[in-house]
Amino acid sequence: MKPLAGPQTVAVIFDKSSTRTRVSFAVGIADLGGSPLIISTANSQLGGKETPSDTARVLERMVSAIVWRTYAQEGLEEMARGTRVPVVNALSDVFHPCQLLADLLTIREHKGALAGLTVAFLGDGADNMVHSYLLACATAGMHLRVGFPEAYAPDAGIVADAERIADTTGGSITLLHDPEEAVAGADVVVTDTWVSMGKEEEKAVRVAALGDYQVTPDLMALAKPDAIFLHCLPADRGYEVAASVIDGPRSVIWDEAENRLHAQKALLIWLLERA
């Protein structure tokens, strides 16, 4: 019997365009025996005439879970407070937790146990991926180094939360401005786009500020010989990462992309078994 057979419908809501999130949730829900209901906020009342909590109170009477890819973290939290069904953060401006489930799965596949590994993240320190890596690596007992320009620092509150967690797991958090120091001896090297959706008008400024943090073959050479490279995609080749790194032997980004499907399925099973 499939885990979501019943049948169960999961609402998957998109404020932002998507490839991996849309496909992994739609295919994953169907594989589990459920029905994905894809909703665009452009064609719904959410964010216009209706609050997230009111939308949630309607949806909970019709669906088993809600997945939302959005902008404001506050909207997700309001929706979660307003409903009895699970609400999944499929991406917000602050966090991207579903991606981290896939990333940790990918690292585990290639490296074995997570605890004790050193991860280097280069680029925009205020990025939602950095915030997610801070909490995820701390929870897993990993050592995270974030290399970023001073003007692009991670949220101080999230850093403090990660440091408190790391104190209990044996992990560590190190914030650096030197990309070479961040990567030296790392087991895993990670980056993300310098220009996220909604920040396109900042591209020239961001490229100028972040240029020294591009993941190049020379930088990868400073990591351990068996280090792997991750990127949540889409990648802007020639900006945050050189094409030769993306397509090189250390890159595991296609495994990482596939693992979005497996991580999403596991998350839904875990949530709906407890709902």
Side-chain angles (χ1 to χ4, degrees):
M1 181 176 178
K2 292 190 174 182
L4 301 191
Q8 296 190 65
T9 299
V10 178
V12 189
I13 308 171
F14 291 94
D15 290 354
K16 295 184 175 185
S17 59
S18 171
T19 299
R20 279 150 293 277
T21 299
R22 182 184 300 269
V23 174
S24 59
F25 270 109
V27 173
I29 293 163
D31 282 353
L32 295 173
S35 299
L37 175 62
I38 307 299
I39 302 171
S40 168
T41 49
N43 298 314
S44 73
Q45 302 294 350
L46 179 59
K49 294 182 178 180
E50 193 163 65
T51 65
S53 57
D54 284 352
T55 295
R57 292 175 69 181
V58 171
L59 289 178
E60 73 177 10
R61 294 168 178 255
M62 305 180 190
V63 303
S64 299
I66 301 168
V67 178
W68 192 9
R69 178 179 170 93
T70 188
Y71 290 91
Q73 177 72 19
E74 294 81 3
L76 272 161
E77 293 175 7
E78 178 187 338
M79 178 172 280
R81 289 192 299 268
T83 183
R84 295 167 294 179
V85 302
V87 174
V88 176
N89 178 355
L91 178 140
S92 73
D93 287 344
V94 182
F95 296 114
H96 198 354
C98 290
Q99 182 66 54
L100 261 293
L101 292 177
D103 284 16
L104 293 186
L105 173 58
T106 306
I107 295 169
R108 185 172 179 178
E109 285 180 339
H110 286 269
K111 293 294 181 181
L114 298 174
L117 293 177
T118 297
V119 178
F121 191 108
L122 295 183
D124 180 0
D127 183 77
N128 55 8
M129 284 293 293
V130 171
H131 292 154
S132 299
Y133 260 96
L134 283 164
L135 298 177
C137 286
T139 301
M142 303 169 81
H143 305 291
L144 176 66
R145 303 177 192 155
V146 185
F148 60 94
E150 290 186 20
Y152 293 86
D155 181 272
I158 297 172
V159 172
D161 287 343
E163 289 175 337
R164 282 193 291 270
I165 296 168
D167 285 342
T168 69
T169 63
S172 65
I173 304 299
T174 306
L175 305 183
L176 301 163
H177 299 308
D178 183 344
E180 294 186 356
E181 186 179 357
V183 169
D187 299 287
V188 182
V189 179
V190 190
T191 192
D192 189 16
T193 181
W194 292 343
V195 187
S196 297
M197 283 179 281
K199 298 181 179 179
E200 290 81 4
E201 73 282 356
E202 302 174 20
K203 182 170 184 177
V205 174
R206 286 176 164 272
V207 169
L210 294 161
D212 290 341
Y213 297 83
Q214 182 188 96
V215 180
T216 62
D218 288 343
L219 264 183
M220 284 297 300
L222 300 177
K224 288 183 179 177
D226 61 348
I228 57 175
F229 172 73
L230 295 175
H231 191 307
C232 65
L233 301 177
D236 202 351
R237 293 167 179 255
Y239 286 89
E240 72 270 11
V241 59
S244 57
V245 172
I246 292 177
D247 299 324
R250 298 188 182 196
S251 174
V252 296
I253 62 173
W254 312 119
D255 293 344
E256 180 186 9
E258 177 190 338
N259 281 335
R260 288 295 302 278
L261 172 63
H262 309 310
Q264 251 78 286
K265 290 164 75 172
L267 174 63
L268 288 168
I269 291 170
W270 187 85
L271 287 172
L272 291 171
E273 283 181 345
R274 289 158 177 77

